[in-house]
Structure formats: structure tokens, C-alpha cells
Amino acid sequence: MKRLLSVTFSLVLPLFAEKPNIVLIFCDDLGYTDLSCQGATGWKTPNIDRLAGEGIRFTDFHVSQAVCSASRASLLTGCYANRIDFAGALGPKNQNGLHDDEVTLGEICQEAGYATAAYGKWHLGHHPQYLPIHHGFDDYFGFPYSNDMWPSGPIEVKGHYPRLPLIEDDEVIITVEDQTYMTKWLTERSVRFIRKNHEKPFFLYLAHPQPHVPLYVSPERQGSSEQGLYGDVIQEIDWSTGEILRTLEELGLADNTWVIFTSDNGPWMTYGNHGGTVGPLRGSKGTSWEGGVRVPCVMRWPSRIQPGQVRDDLWATIDILPTFAALLDVPLPEHPIDGVNAWPMISGEKEGPVQEAYFYYYGQNNLESMRMGPWKLIFPHKWRDERSQPGKDGLRGTYLWPEAGLELYNLEDDIAEFINVIEQHPDVVARMQKLAEEMRADLGDDFQKRKGPGRRTGGRLKKS
């Protein structure tokens, strides 16, 4: 077992009489406005909307980085990805992955006596030592990296990758030629896991490979939406969510199950009609604008969360692990993490941002932006503009690379990050710059050629 702090939360948070089941559904490249309850058009998400209506819909929830591996590393460890040596999206040639010393959501739950499973996209290293069953999950079934890292597409990357492995536990069971049934398979595995473990607490981490391109949907839902293939895929994810909710209700588990639904980053909008939407937000996947790092988040826990809430409290995926630990009365890791317990905000005991500031790195270790309450400070950098020349029907468009300066936005008045108000608020800028300096002193900043003593070395394969 990983080294954990000796103190527990029993003096801070009263233990629940019955441990909750936890279901965390994590989509790939689902955009901020890709749910009906967030304003989607052309498709419908009644089951996810129901989650929101019977619980909370958060409108200012964030990931740490707008890219696959880095975002997932933060979710599962409560750390900024650069703290634990993650950047970008790992592929089949990478030799690195999740270090053995890092503590995951799965391990927190195992410490509390939970059955744990991870199904779908992992993306924290594809070699056996990095896979979920060696990092807190009793059962694993899915892809080790993104579903486009294979010979069949997207069209412009054919031939660049080996066959896509489908892994069970830490063994490749097949190499995939057709992803049509993947969402259905993952849903069936999830339902089976819930049924098998319904008499004890469980944690299910369902990480859908969709709606990341290439898009695939089961025949039952092909042509089901007005929009086309992307809409069909979202409706299948909604169907999957409905199957899980139905199973929980059938087994009498719904009242004491905490279900969280969110996404790893904003949509890959360079694919046009095969990418998602961000509504009024600026930017998309691969950027530190709100369209890249602000994602949909809905949750339900009937016995503990009041229904029908829409909340604008600022918080992030890095806060989920310490929240789990607090609720389950499990000590945190001995090493530093970046998240904090968000339960007082979720439960309504407190209002407002969970942390004073959140920081958005990109690339290897570039600090591109930060949030402090309603304020967004942009640091000078080039960014990937996907919206100006999008592709269509599975073909990628052209990226443009505009340059941002030192810019300040008040998202309460200007969610589109359109009006730079840096000259009007020198006091806000000074406070945010001070917080940014404290972060650079810990994690560094490649823009300023600063290393950061707080960064840990990630997992590396030993040379034979």
C-alpha cells in the first residue's frame, strides 16, 4: 500500500453511517455545451439531464489541462499533471507512465474496503506496470490510449500507429479492427460490475473513449440524432448513463450512490461536425482558454445532495481525490497534492471557489493561464485556434497559431474572454501575479526557464 498521512478526517467530517457507492463517468473530448441541459441542439441527453435535475449541474468546473493524459493524471491523483511528470497525450511509443508511488482514486477507495473497476480509456501508460490493476483497480477492460492511435484513422494519420490493443486486466485480449460496439461493451461491463458488487461498496470509473475521433456508434443508435454521427455518439453515451442509472435503481442502490459525469477537456473542434461545442466560450481542446479547460459536470447523490441545483462555484478535477478521501475517512498521500476537499461546497455548507486560484499549464511545463474567482489571467503564449478553419466528416481542419499577451478577463461579465480589462484592475493583476510566482517557485515554468523543485519523476521503464 502507498504511504499515506497518518491523520484522518474523523475530527473534520463526520463519517456517513453507510459508505456510498461511487460512479465516475469521464468522457473524452465532450464539449461544454454538448449536453441538452447545457444548451446542446441536434441531439438529446435525457438521462444525463435527469442526473442534473436530481442533483447538481456545475457551470464553472475545470480540468487541469486540456489534453488527454495530463487531464486524467490530475483527475486520478489530485495533482497538477506537471507535478507528477505528465504532459500531452501518451502513445504506443511512450515508455513512461504513472509512477508506483502515486496514489489514485482507486487506491483511496480500496483503502476504504471498496471493490474497484476501471473501464474504457486509461492513457496513463500502456505497459503492464502502469495499467489500472496495478494502481488501485480490481478489474480493467479498455484501451490503454486514445482511440485514434491505430492504423484505421483518423484518415490523415493512417499507417502511423500499430493495431489498437483491447486490454483486460494487464493482458491484450484482441487488437481492434472495429470500434462500433465499444460504448456498448463498456456499458455491459459496468452493469455487470455493479450487479456483482451490489452488496458491498464499489467505485466504478467509466472512461468513455468517445466522442474523441474517430467516431463510432452501435447500429441501434446510428442515425438517431438530427445532427449526424457526433449527435448519435452523444446519445449513445446518454443511453449508457441511463443503463447504469436503471441498474442502480433496480438493485435499490440509487439513493446511496454518488454519480459524477464530466469530461477530460473541451472538444476537438478542428474536426468540425465530428467535434463538439463550447457555446459562448473561447478556445477548445489543446488551449488554456475556458473552452479548453471548462467542462460539463453534473452529479447526483439523492441521500446527500439536494436536487435541482445549478451552481457556479469554481472547482476542478484535482479536488475530487481529496473529496473522496474525506468522505471515506481515508488519509491522503504523504507527498504533496494540489486538490482540496470540495465536499463543504458540494453539500452547500460553504459557497464560492473551492481554492483561491487554479493554474493551467500546457506543453511540458508552460504556465499559460490561471483563474482566481471570476478573474482569468492569460500569460503571453501562442495558442492553437481550432475554430477558424475546421474540417468535416472525419477530416481535420487547419490550425492557426495566434499569440496572446498578458491579458485579464472578468468571466462574470465576459464569459467569452473577449474584453481585456487588464488596465482597469492593477490590484487584481498584482494579486494573481503573486500567486503565479508562488506556483512557479513550486512547479516551475518553461516560459521562464524555471525547473520547479516540487515536480516528481514519473514512471519509467527500467532498461534491461
Side-chain angles (χ1 to χ4, degrees):
M1 181 55 64
K2 310 296 175 63
R3 292 175 297 170
L4 304 175
L5 289 174
S6 58
V7 297
T8 67
F9 291 90
S10 57
L11 297 179
V12 179
L13 183 78
L15 292 175
F16 294 129
E18 185 180 0
K19 292 178 179 178
N21 305 305
I22 304 172
V23 176
L24 174 55
I25 303 172
F26 204 56
C27 294
D28 195 352
D29 292 1
L30 184 77
Y32 182 70
T33 52
D34 278 352
L35 306 178
S36 298
C37 59
Q38 295 273 110
T41 58
W43 59 85
K44 300 182 188 306
T45 57
N47 294 300
I48 303 167
D49 296 349
R50 178 186 162 199
L51 267 182
E54 295 176 353
I56 307 174
R57 176 166 64 90
F58 289 100
T59 62
D60 206 357
F61 181 73
H62 285 245
V63 298
S64 71
Q65 287 195 37
V67 63
C68 302
S69 293
S71 177
R72 289 156 204 275
S74 293
L75 170 76
L76 287 169
T77 67
C79 297
Y80 287 116
N82 45 322
R83 181 179 295 283
I84 60 173
D85 201 18
F86 268 87
L90 303 186
K93 294 183 179 180
N94 282 96
Q95 302 295 300
N96 57 308
L98 191 62
H99 196 283
D100 287 346
D101 289 344
E102 300 300 338
V103 176
T104 68
L105 290 173
E107 287 166 309
I108 292 290
C109 290
Q110 282 184 336
E111 181 78 3
Y114 278 54
T116 60
Y119 300 138
K121 178 178 172 179
W122 179 240
H123 220 174
L124 299 181
H126 68 283
H127 295 281
Q129 69 197 60
Y130 305 135
L131 293 173
I133 65 162
H134 302 294
H135 292 277
F137 294 94
D138 304 322
D139 191 28
Y140 172 58
F141 174 77
F143 295 148
Y145 36 73
S146 294
N147 71 321
D148 66 332
M149 296 177 177
W150 71 326
S152 300
I155 293 169
E156 63 270 20
V157 296
K158 278 186 176 181
H160 287 234
Y161 294 107
R163 299 275 290 276
L164 183 64
L166 180 60
I167 297 177
E168 186 162 33
D169 293 338
D170 56 6
E171 298 288 337
V172 176
I173 54 174
I174 61 169
T175 53
V176 175
E177 297 182 5
D178 184 356
Q179 298 181 38
T180 297
Y181 292 97
M182 194 62 190
T183 300
K184 187 174 182 179
W185 290 343
L186 295 174
T187 305
E188 292 170 349
R189 275 301 273 260
S190 298
V191 168
R192 189 171 80 188
F193 172 77
I194 293 170
R195 291 189 182 281
K196 180 181 177 181
N197 295 283
H198 72 277
E199 293 183 346
K200 57 185 175 183
F202 60 80
F203 169 45
L204 168 63
Y205 171 50
L206 172 55
H208 286 293
Q210 296 287 307
H212 191 292
V213 295
L215 301 177
Y216 283 90
V217 66
S218 300
E220 297 94 318
R221 277 158 287 280
Q222 289 178 6
S224 63
S225 75
E226 296 176 5
Q227 186 266 356
L229 184 55
Y230 190 86
D232 298 349
V233 168
I234 301 301
Q235 291 191 168
E236 181 152 65
I237 291 171
D238 183 76
W239 163 82
S240 171
T241 304
E243 289 297 289
I244 290 171
L245 298 182
R246 181 180 60 79
T247 303
L248 293 172
E249 288 154 7
E250 179 186 321
L251 296 172
L253 303 174
D255 195 52
N256 195 41
T257 300
W258 185 17
V259 182
I260 306 167
F261 182 99
T262 187
S263 176
D264 67 341
N265 46 246
W268 209 350
M269 297 183 73
T270 190
Y271 282 94
N273 63 335
H274 280 205
T277 63
V278 294
L281 304 183
R282 184 177 183 180
S284 57
K285 173 179 178 171
T287 79
S288 297
W289 301 100
E290 291 295 290
V293 294
R294 189 188 297 214
V295 293
C297 178
V298 301
M299 63 176 58
R300 185 190 77 175
W301 183 0
S303 67
R304 294 290 171 180
I305 292 176
Q306 291 294 320
Q309 299 182 66
V310 179
R311 303 268 292 279
D312 61 0
D313 308 79
L314 173 62
W315 68 300
T317 50
I318 58 172
D319 301 317
I320 288 179
L321 182 142
T323 304
F324 276 29
L327 291 175
L328 304 184
D329 198 39
V330 172
L332 289 173
E334 283 188 344
H335 53 235
I337 67 169
D338 299 294
V340 302
N341 175 19
W343 183 251
M345 179 276 295
I346 295 170
S347 65
E349 298 169 25
K350 294 183 179 179
E351 293 183 355
V354 170
Q355 299 196 49
E356 181 178 12
Y358 291 91
F359 302 88
Y360 307 105
Y361 281 82
Y362 199 70
Q364 195 65 39
N365 199 39
N366 300 324
L367 182 56
E368 293 189 347
S369 70
M370 64 177 290
R371 280 286 304 272
M372 185 182 75
W375 301 102
K376 179 80 171 279
L377 185 63
I378 307 294
F379 300 105
H381 69 281
K382 286 187 177 181
W383 60 281
R384 192 173 82 189
D385 183 357
E386 297 190 339
R387 302 177 73 169
S388 55
Q389 298 180 16
K392 186 178 181 181
D393 297 337
L395 287 173
R396 191 171 71 187
T398 303
Y399 294 143
L400 298 179
W401 293 92
E403 197 155 342
L406 186 65
E407 303 169 16
L408 179 71
Y409 298 92
N410 182 348
L411 301 183
E412 206 167 68
D413 302 327
D414 176 28
I415 197 173
E417 297 173 281
F418 182 72
I419 303 170
N420 182 6
V421 294
I422 195 165
E423 298 296 333
Q424 294 95 306
H425 299 280
D427 53 335
V428 173
V429 176
R431 175 60 184 161
M432 296 181 80
Q433 289 276 38
K434 181 177 184 297
L435 293 171
E437 277 302 296
E438 293 172 2
M439 179 55 66
R440 291 184 182 111
D442 184 16
L443 296 186
D445 184 356
D446 284 355
F447 285 143
Q448 298 189 1
K449 297 182 170 56
R450 295 166 67 173
K451 296 294 185 183
R455 297 179 68 195
R456 301 192 285 271
T457 301
R460 294 287 188 276
L461 287 185
K462 294 180 180 179
K463 295 182 180 180
S464 56

